[in-house]
Amino acid sequence: MRYLPSRTVRLATLVCFLFVLAAPAALAADRYIALGDSFSSGVGTGSYALSSSCKRSVFAYPYLVSQQRPNTALTFVACSGATTTDLMANQIQAVTADTTIVTLTIGGNDIGFANLISQCTLSDCSAALDATRASLATTLNPRLDTVYTAIRSQAAFGAKVVVLGYPREFTSTGCFGTLGISATERTKANQLADALDQVIAARATDPVYAFAYKSALAPYSTHAVCSSSPWLNGLNLFNTTESYHPNRNGQSQGYTPLVRSVVG
């Protein structure tokens, strides 16, 4: 009987040992928690099989991202209408020490963006848009800090946290989808979206949190309401909840690539 040299045996044993150690890590699933409001739950996509009350959709970016990434376990708690207070009361508990990915859109409902657009449709909203933009940072900064601090303290060390912004809703031209909203109001609504983008980006990327911030302004810039290829719904008189939210293309071609650019 021939015996392998002792050095060869030791090397083979070491290789086997390292393989056993590496195997569980390779098979471990990413734990992905999707927080946020209607832009994350999928309002606007017209199908809410995952939750009719929170309007969670299989066409929303969290579900799409989880399906595109092998070994990704999704906990989808984003809910239509959520404010930062709602997120802290009903969603943040899903973020735990084994969470490796977090995504969210939050802040739009805190400043009453949907109500502002409704006001624009029914009457004049120009002054309200100006006032909201002027108080934006004062209103949002402490609320965002509360959410971001909780995420940073509860997620796993090294977890990838992706904060997403909101798009501009309007082009420079009107159509039936902007019924009741004047050119001045459309411009001011877009200016509010720009200001909101800046406030959220500044807080998310602050070194205290160091989250990845992905702006939706550029991806949606040629896909606003009334564009030739809209990723946002215009006014829907038969189902107003769907109005001014990303459609299925907006979720799959707008938000999903933004998340994938960070989490792979």
Side-chain angles (χ1 to χ4, degrees), residues 98-234:
D98 60 349
T99 298
T100 54
I101 298 172
V102 179
T103 61
L104 70 156
T105 54
I106 202 70
N109 291 317
D110 288 79
I111 64 168
F113 193 83
N115 292 332
L116 287 168
I117 298 301
S118 295
Q119 182 180 340
C120 295
T121 303
L122 299 173
S123 60
D124 182 79
C125 67
S126 185
L129 289 168
D130 287 340
T132 301
R133 181 155 54 95
S135 63
L136 195 58
T138 302
T139 300
L140 269 188
N141 279 344
R143 303 184 190 192
L144 295 176
D145 283 337
T146 297
V147 171
Y148 297 165
T149 297
I151 294 172
R152 177 52 73 205
S153 64
Q154 292 179 209
F157 178 77
K160 295 179 179 178
V161 181
V162 187
V163 178
L164 298 159
Y166 300 91
R168 298 186 191 98
E169 294 280 350
F170 304 109
T171 65
S172 59
T173 59
C175 62
F176 182 79
T178 60
L179 183 68
I181 305 177
S182 70
T184 297
E185 291 168 335
R186 294 196 301 272
T187 297
K188 291 190 175 185
N190 284 346
Q191 290 172 344
L192 178 58
D194 291 349
L196 183 59
D197 186 81
Q198 293 169 8
V199 167
I200 297 175
R203 297 317 302 148
T205 59
D206 186 282
V208 172
Y209 313 115
F211 296 155
Y213 180 73
K214 304 302 290 186
S215 174
L217 296 182
Y220 281 83
S221 63
T222 57
H223 299 285
V225 178
C226 300
S227 68
S228 59
S229 176
W231 289 354
L232 291 158
N233 298 320

Side-chain angles (χ1 to χ4, degrees), residues 68 74 79 262:
Q68 293 172 10
L74 172 65
C79 192
V262 177

